[in-house]
Amino acid sequence: MNMKDIFTKALEEPLKNELSEPQIASLIEHPKHEAHGDLAFPCFQLAKSMKKPPHMIAQELSEVVASQEIEKAVAAGPYVNVFFKRRKISAGILEEILRKGAEYGSNTTGEKGNTVFDFSSPNIAKPFSMGHLRSTIIGQALANIAEKNGFNCVRINHLGDWGTQFGKLMCAYTRWGAEDDVRKCPIPTLMKYYVDFHEKAENDPSLLEEGRAWFKKLELGDGEATKLWKWFRDESLKEFERVYDLLGIRFDHVQGESFYNDKMTPVVAELTEKGLLTKSEGAYVVETGPGKPPCLITKTDGTTLYATRDLAAAVYRKTTFDFAKSVYVVGAEQQLHFDQIKNVLRKMGREWEKDMVHVPFGLILKDGKKMSTRKGKIILLEDVLKDAISQAEENIALKNPALENKAATAREVGVGAVVFHDLKNERMNSVEFSLEQMLTFEGETGPYVQYTNVRARSILTKARAEGTPQEGLEDDASWAVVKELHEFPDVVRRAWQTYEPSVIARYLLSLASAFNKYYGKVKILENDDCLGDRLSVVASVSIVLQEGLRLLGIKAPRQM
């Protein structure tokens, strides 16, 4: 029972000569103060066509707006404000949530179209750092939200497992590396070699040439280069899996850049055949327009680049999955790269490039600066997650030492704190790394939302019932919660339309706040005629909180 739809329908007849139904719906808003009504319609836009001042139009509309669900409509200056029949609306909303359960808020916008998500994509032979947290959890949340909006999702981890950097690493390993050291402590040791390489290359540029030569050998299938590459890759995947397991992240396909080795030749051949390749200083490029940098396809030594592999990946994914959308959750600094890829595909006649979407995000900063793997300035994500879990264990030992399944709960709460701390921020905002803030469990945090759900479940356990909406509720405290619950389907749509998980996170904080105020004001378990309705509010809040947390990739513990 969507209140916005009800109000739109009520305005449709009196405004049939002025605005369409979608136009009316787009103008409806929430009053700044709850006392002014449940929804408001501004009349400014009608002044010119109706040749009347907005306040007069509002007055006239307030006298003709009618619906079985609307209690009254009043003019407030240039606005028409409506108050709904609380009992009728609340009973309908709560009945819908309890009937649908976790399906509440789902819609069929996607019409089961395939949507490919390219996210996380760490580089092999390097630690899984905090720098990869954002792509990983934003990508997972957006895939969950897309499914809620009716899409079939294909989750792909496009590993950085090819390129000149592996030639540099092979150069470093063969020059001063030790097999025993790598086997004892694989990723930190390989990382040290990589950092050492760049430090030494500043004084010895010949190392850069040697690194490029090693990558050339790898691309040509050289046995020694291939053996080293596979070893580095296997060790990296073991480390990555530990982190993904902690985060609860899953992929349908792990297809690194190397997966497209045999798929690049047809792309380069097509570019050549269509006369799109231009030789530039020994390399081959595709011009992308006046004043724009060209897209580099092959280097002077014939080796391929990130762009070549991304072109091959795009063609493969369209052919394999016939995607309705292909979403790349990659940092904002890659905007030019994706503009170039789409430009080249457009020149190739691939009209579906318009369905490729780059979802950028800001950085995680340390002391206001970007973390640099090359310079060794990184913070390991696994360490942060373990610190968060440890902090959660301390909190449980202090506040609820008798809790069963302490370790599992601490993991859910600790990891949830890290994930929520990131996702509550708009994705384009850079986030300053602060372990202290990340592990604060009070205030606007994941554990606050998780605990609110635990509180709701505890009430239902005490009542030994989920509740059934009967007459509905009309008191202010109940109505505030019901209105928040009513917003969830719209929040789900908006989060997908804007590719913005923070819309879900901020909503959960708002719902949790409304419920905790309700808990403080109302004697929920009082045995009177409204007990069933109040318990249905509690059960509905728990359903929506759990589903909202799931969309963000966060667990909802039963106890804390």
Side-chain angles (χ1 to χ4, degrees):
M1 187 174 287
N2 188 299
M3 288 191 278
K4 188 175 181 180
D5 289 346
I6 293 168
F7 191 17
T8 300
K9 290 287 185 188
L11 287 166
E12 195 175 1
E13 177 60 29
L15 294 178
K16 63 183 178 183
N17 296 324
E18 309 297 334
L19 298 170
S20 67
E21 184 180 337
Q23 288 173 322
I24 294 169
S26 70
L27 291 171
I28 291 173
E29 58 189 63
H30 292 277
K32 289 182 180 179
H33 303 287
E34 287 189 9
H36 292 171
D38 299 317
L39 290 174
F41 179 79
C43 299
F44 305 103
Q45 190 167 320
L46 298 168
K48 186 175 182 180
S49 63
M50 296 181 73
K51 297 178 181 177
K52 295 177 183 177
H55 73 274
M56 188 178 295
I57 299 171
Q59 182 60 49
E60 291 175 0
L61 284 175
S62 71
E63 294 169 3
V64 295
V65 167
S67 168
Q68 291 183 344
E69 292 84 12
I70 294 176
E71 184 76 40
K72 63 179 179 179
V74 297
Y79 291 89
V80 180
N81 292 349
V82 291
F83 296 79
F84 286 88
K85 294 178 180 177
R86 292 182 174 185
R87 283 187 179 276
K88 186 178 182 69
I89 293 290
S90 65
I93 291 169
L94 296 173
E95 185 279 329
E96 182 184 3
I97 296 172
L98 296 178
R99 173 169 47 84
K100 291 184 175 178
E103 286 300 307
Y104 178 63
S106 299
N107 65 72
T108 58
T109 300
E111 298 179 332
K112 298 295 182 183
N114 289 335
T115 298
V116 174
F117 285 85
D118 178 324
F119 65 103
S120 191
S121 311
N123 293 319
I124 68 166
K126 295 180 185 176
F128 202 125
S129 74
M130 279 298 294
H132 280 97
L133 173 69
R134 305 209 73 193
S135 174
T136 304
I137 62 176
I138 292 172
Q140 175 74 346
L142 286 178
N144 293 340
I145 292 165
E147 286 174 336
K148 190 78 172 171
N149 280 275
F151 291 89
N152 287 326
C153 294
V154 180
R155 296 165 170 84
I156 296 178
N157 191 357
H158 187 71
L159 290 176
D161 66 354
W162 207 250
T164 308
Q165 67 266 38
F166 300 108
K168 295 174 181 178
L169 186 58
M170 291 170 192
C171 171
Y173 174 75
T174 54
R175 275 202 170 218
W176 59 80
E179 182 177 345
D180 287 347
D181 290 344
V182 176
R183 294 206 177 278
K184 286 177 192 171
C185 194
I187 305 306
T189 303
L190 292 174
M191 173 67 185
K192 182 178 183 304
Y193 295 161
Y194 186 74
V195 173
D196 288 349
F197 176 90
H198 284 280
E199 287 179 353
K200 293 177 188 294
E202 288 181 7
N203 298 315
D204 183 3
S206 69
L207 285 174
L208 296 173
E209 286 299 322
E210 193 174 328
R212 283 192 281 269
W214 267 104
F215 179 56
K216 178 74 172 176
K217 288 168 68 176
L218 180 61
E219 285 223 306
L220 292 173
D222 175 80
E224 184 183 4
T226 301
K227 182 179 178 182
L228 286 174
W229 174 79
K230 284 182 177 177
W231 179 29
F232 298 161
R233 189 179 193 273
D234 289 345
E235 292 297 339
S236 300
L237 287 174
K238 290 176 189 175
E239 176 161 312
F240 296 163
E241 278 306 312
R242 288 203 310 273
V243 178
Y244 290 135
D245 183 57
L246 279 173
L247 288 168
I249 301 289
R250 66 178 178 84
F251 296 98
D252 299 300
H253 303 279
V254 178
Q255 294 171 337
E257 293 181 63
S258 61
F259 177 79
Y260 302 99
N261 279 349
D262 60 351
K263 299 168 183 62
M264 289 183 285
T265 302
V267 172
V268 175
E270 183 179 343
L271 289 170
T272 304
E273 188 180 311
K274 291 182 175 178
L276 295 173
L277 279 185
T278 304
K279 198 165 187 178
S280 175
E281 298 178 10
Y284 283 94
V285 304
V286 175
E287 297 294 342
T288 57
K292 295 180 180 178
C295 184
L296 192 57
I297 302 299
T298 58
K299 294 183 183 178
T300 53
D301 61 1
T303 55
T304 57
L305 292 106
Y306 187 44
T308 330
R309 295 184 281 278
D310 259 6
L311 287 168
V315 172
Y316 171 83
R317 290 170 187 175
K318 183 61 180 179
T319 303
T320 306
F321 304 112
D322 190 25
F323 56 72
K325 282 190 183 297
S326 183
V327 180
Y328 295 81
V329 186
V330 182
E333 66 272 20
Q334 294 296 324
Q335 184 67 56
L336 174 62
H337 168 76
F338 284 105
D339 287 347
Q340 289 184 321
I341 294 299
K342 285 167 67 70
N343 191 311
V344 173
L345 287 167
R346 191 158 56 246
K347 284 176 173 285
M348 293 171 72
R350 302 300 205 277
E351 294 182 2
W352 45 260
E353 59 82 21
K354 66 182 184 302
D355 300 320
M356 293 168 57
V357 181
H358 174 212
V359 177
F361 51 85
L363 301 169
I364 291 184
L365 305 175
K366 179 63 176 162
D367 301 323
K369 296 178 181 177
K370 180 180 178 180
M371 298 178 193
S372 171
T373 307
R374 184 174 293 185
K375 296 179 180 177
K377 295 180 179 178
I378 60 170
I379 296 168
L380 300 185
L381 176 55
E382 187 174 12
D383 290 348
V384 172
L385 293 173
K386 286 180 177 178
D387 284 348
I389 293 168
S390 177
Q391 181 68 53
E393 286 174 340
E394 290 178 19
N395 282 10
I396 290 169
L398 188 66
K399 297 178 180 179
N400 192 2
L403 179 70
E404 296 180 4
N405 301 317
K406 288 191 186 72
T409 301
R411 176 169 160 163
E412 292 174 351
V413 173
V415 172
V418 174
V419 173
F420 196 91
H421 177 268
D422 188 293
L423 294 183
K424 73 179 181 182
N425 295 287
E426 291 187 11
R427 60 177 165 78
M428 284 306 296
N429 292 343
S430 289
V431 180
E432 178 69 30
F433 175 79
S434 166
L435 195 58
E436 184 180 356
Q437 283 188 16
M438 206 168 273
L439 303 188
T440 297
F441 293 171
E442 307 296 328
E444 295 188 334
T445 66
Y448 168 71
V449 177
Q450 289 172 318
Y451 181 72
T452 301
N453 178 61
V454 168
R455 170 174 276 173
R457 300 308 310 170
S458 175
I459 293 168
L460 297 172
T461 300
K462 286 179 185 175
R464 297 182 180 178
E466 295 285 311
T468 305
Q470 295 165 355
E471 298 299 321
L473 296 159
E474 61 181 0
D475 63 286
D476 290 345
S478 300
W479 185 239
V481 179
V482 169
K483 284 203 295 183
E484 287 288 348
L485 291 167
H486 167 262
E487 290 293 317
F488 187 56
D490 188 55
V491 165
V492 168
R493 288 189 187 89
R494 198 164 70 249
W496 173 242
Q497 289 164 356
T498 57
Y499 304 110
E500 188 60 83
S502 68
V503 170
I504 301 281
R506 304 306 302 184
Y507 166 79
L508 292 178
L509 290 170
S510 183
L511 175 59
S513 175
F515 177 73
N516 285 317
K517 289 176 184 174
Y518 177 70
Y519 176 83
K521 291 179 181 177
V522 176
K523 294 180 179 178
I524 297 172
L525 293 176
E526 187 174 4
N527 195 8
D528 58 19
D529 292 343
C530 292
L531 176 60
D533 287 296
R534 290 194 298 272
L535 290 176
S536 70
V537 170
V538 178
S540 296
V541 166
S542 178
I543 287 168
V544 174
L545 287 178
Q546 288 182 70
E547 180 61 3
L549 287 169
R550 184 193 71 79
L551 291 175
L552 297 180
I554 298 173
K555 301 288 187 183
R558 301 290 287 189
Q559 293 181 303
M560 281 173 70

